[in-house]
Amino acid sequence: MPPGLTRHERLVAAFIRTGELVQGLLDEAFEKDGIDEWSPLQDAGGRLLRVEAEAIIGSWRSGFDGGLSLDPLWPDLLRRLNGPDTVRLRQPEGYAFYALLPEIYAEAALRSGLTASTVVIGIRSIGTSLAAMVSAALGAAPAGSLRPHGHPFERRVDIGPALARRLLAGRDQSYAIVDEGPGLSGSSFGSVADWLEKNGVERSRIHFFPSHAGDPGAQASERHVRRWKERPRHLDTVDRLLLDPATARLPSWVSDLTGARCGSWRDISGGRWRKIGAAKDATRPPVDAQFERRKFLFEREAGGRRERFLVKFAGLGDVGTAKARRGALLHEAGFAPKIAGTCHGFLVQQWVETAHIPITALPRLQVLDHLARYLGFRARHLSGGGQGATLRELCDVAVYNFAGTFGEDMGKKLRLLAEAHGRPCRRLRRIDSDNRLHAWEWLVTPGGSLLKADAVDHNSAHDLVGCQDIAWEVAGAAVEFDLTAPERRRLAEAVGRLADGSLEDDVLTLFEACYLGFQTGLWWMALERASGDERAPIAALLSRYRRRAECLLDGREC
């Protein structure tokens, strides 16, 4: 393959897959033995990831130019990754959801001042591959990896004697502990540092490579917080790597992809997209900034004509590519904006100029007919659904959320509903569901047509739901558009005709209750994090969910 961004993307995709495989095999061994121990598998995995990381760093720092050199031993290293026929892999969340590019860790290592004698330790899952980026950038020995385990707020590591000897052989050298996070407790980072100190490594030799500049969360122990504040934390950011005016990597990639030279560029993450083209008296949609993906608006003026593109992180490797294909299919069918392509995990799509009116202002029948055609298309043509929660799991979460948010009585009512209708008379079939049919997600064009603003991401979001039966979609539409019982039946019948299936009222009622329970929990947590003007729209949404849930569980029309 010739040099360029496409080749670099392929290198990163292969690296992520290798990291997942190594993580899965090492975790299988850990489950079997109860400890992390040095083994031919640990050796081959670390060395293979190091080879691939070196290739990525060389490609990155050369501007994707020049030849590609891989250690001739890499095919043998790959063959040595033997294991059981079935291995449980974990999706690295940072690569899929949070724009955590592996190159960020290489750049952090190069700026750290650490030397090639540094002992690099990755924390599984994602730390398996991130540590390889650090060791390759430092020129250090291939990284080992550990699986902290135990209570989420009190992790610990158990390390066998052979691996312990290797890790401690350079105890007078620096140690780099690599992972994403820290999270609520920081105990994964803390458990590895605890073990090092317990085994004679001076605290002054410990360095952390996290994914953000914040401290561990509210569940962190005093000891871990104190150490975290005392020791160096080496990190870089996606903003500096991709948006620094000196390099302007992402604007340059988008320019090459679209053929439109960048005129201006702005970050519209965290709800800032609401300010673009909004009507003066428009209702402010609620947002949960913590779970919004990074997104940017790319603009240029040419010949008196303005061109704009939305550039949103969709996931590195196969994750982002699959979403681009899905978006292209939906655009071709007339349901979504045009997709220009992807740039190293970022999905680029045409920005849609709107008529500045909400979908709720359109005639009701027009909205219902469009929803039916959209959901029917997804059920018929995007039927290869992936993994998702079972109906039982959805019910359990909804009961918990209702009871915790609105009171035990509502939780009990939903439990009774689930017991009465929890065994649908037809077999449920997972599809590539949308999972986010809120009214503010729809765009009304100046010509009066409707487009779904964000139709490719939400069944692979960092939550429980995943891909679901079409009944989940109809239930979601019923909630978000406050459909009456006759309107819900009309929508269900229309979708059923298009999808070659039937949607019974009892199934829809149970799915609607589960949908309300899931959304209630999601937005209640968002309300707890929100401040200032952001609280009112979320509170209003929760109030509407409660009213509809009470009507549904009491068997009455709202």
Side-chain angles (χ1 to χ4, degrees), residues 51-106:
V51 167
E52 294 182 5
E54 287 176 339
I56 291 170
I57 293 170
S59 171
W60 176 258
R61 295 190 70 82
S62 71
F64 316 133
D65 200 5
L68 183 63
S69 176
L70 289 174
D71 189 314
L73 291 177
W74 78 263
D76 178 62
L77 294 172
L78 183 59
R79 282 191 292 270
R80 287 168 57 189
L81 297 183
N82 294 320
D85 292 338
T86 302
V87 179
R88 182 187 176 198
L89 307 183
R90 300 193 185 196
Q91 183 181 54
E93 295 165 0
Y95 298 151
F97 306 120
Y98 302 122
L100 188 60
L101 309 186
E103 297 90 343
I104 291 174
Y105 279 70

Side-chain angles (χ1 to χ4, degrees), residues 429-478:
R429 178 173 63 91
R430 296 189 190 280
I431 65 165
D432 194 340
S433 48
D434 183 299
N435 290 12
R436 195 169 177 88
L437 297 173
H438 304 70
W440 63 80
E441 293 279 324
W442 297 85
L443 306 173
V444 183
T445 70
S449 61
L450 287 167
L451 294 174
K452 185 64 169 52
D454 191 357
V456 300
D457 263 332
H458 297 293
N459 66 32
S460 56
H462 194 186
D463 61 32
L464 167 82
V465 178
C467 293
Q468 290 296 328
D469 185 85
I470 190 60
W472 177 263
E473 300 283 70
V474 174

Side-chain angles (χ1 to χ4, degrees), residues 24 129 134 237 326 337 370 372 465 475 493 542:
S129 52
V134 172
T237 67
R326 188 182 309 152
H370 185 83
V465 178
E493 289 169 1
L542 284 168

Side-chain angles (χ1 to χ4, degrees), residues 29-47:
F30 179 84
E31 289 294 324
K32 177 174 176 286
D33 301 331
I35 58 172
D36 277 309
E37 181 58 292
W38 182 253
S39 65
L41 178 61
Q42 179 95 245
D43 176 55
R47 290 171 63 189

Side-chain angles (χ1 to χ4, degrees), residues 99-158:
L100 188 60
L101 309 186
E103 297 90 343
I104 291 174
Y105 279 70
E107 292 289 343
L110 290 167
R111 294 154 63 95
S112 69
L114 294 172
T115 68
S117 64
T118 302
V119 179
V120 183
I121 302 172
I123 296 175
R124 298 197 297 273
S125 298
I126 196 172
T128 310
S129 52
L130 292 176
M133 296 298 294
V134 172
S135 68
L138 296 177
S145 71
L146 302 174
R147 168 61 70 188
H149 62 104
H151 189 281
F153 301 155
E154 298 175 357
R155 300 290 194 196
R156 67 181 189 277
V157 292
D158 289 314

Side-chain angles (χ1 to χ4, degrees), residues 343-516:
C343 298
H344 201 21
F346 286 84
L347 184 69
V348 182
Q349 71 179 43
Q350 197 91 40
W351 182 266
V352 177
E353 304 298 340
T354 68
H356 307 313
I357 59 173
I359 187 174
T360 50
L362 298 180
R364 198 74 164 167
L365 289 181
Q366 179 187 350
V367 174
L368 285 173
D369 288 347
H370 185 83
L371 286 170
R373 287 188 290 107
Y374 175 66
L375 297 182
F377 180 87
R378 290 196 80 111
R380 195 176 185 91
H381 298 285
L382 294 174
S383 57
Q387 294 183 334
T390 64
L391 182 55
R392 174 66 179 272
E393 289 170 333
L394 292 173
C395 287
D396 287 344
V397 168
V399 168
Y400 179 86
N401 288 344
F402 275 165
T405 307
F406 300 144
E408 290 291 338
D409 186 53
M410 284 191 70
K412 289 177 182 177
K413 287 181 178 180
L414 177 53
R415 179 63 70 194
L416 290 173
L417 180 70
E419 290 172 357
H421 301 302
R423 294 181 179 274
C425 59
R426 69 175 177 86
R427 183 178 179 182
L428 300 179
R429 178 173 63 91
R430 296 189 190 280
I431 65 165
D432 194 340
S433 48
D434 183 299
N435 290 12
R436 195 169 177 88
L437 297 173
H438 304 70
W440 63 80
E441 293 279 324
W442 297 85
L443 306 173
V444 183
T445 70
S449 61
L450 287 167
L451 294 174
K452 185 64 169 52
D454 191 357
V456 300
D457 263 332
H458 297 293
N459 66 32
S460 56
H462 194 186
D463 61 32
L464 167 82
V465 178
C467 293
Q468 290 296 328
D469 185 85
I470 190 60
W472 177 263
E473 300 283 70
V474 174
V479 170
E480 299 305 340
F481 287 89
D482 270 330
L483 301 187
T484 63
E487 287 174 333
R488 192 182 79 173
R489 279 194 295 274
R490 177 190 176 98
L491 177 62
E493 289 169 1
V495 171
R497 286 193 298 270
L498 292 167
D500 290 333
S502 61
L503 293 164
E504 299 82 10
D505 269 350
D506 59 343
V507 174
L508 289 174
T509 297
L510 182 56
F511 268 100
E512 186 172 326
C514 290
Y515 178 90
L516 282 162

Side-chain angles (χ1 to χ4, degrees), residues 174-190:
S174 295
Y175 284 78
I177 306 173
V178 186
D179 196 12
E180 64 182 347
L184 278 174
S185 70
S187 67
S188 290
F189 276 110

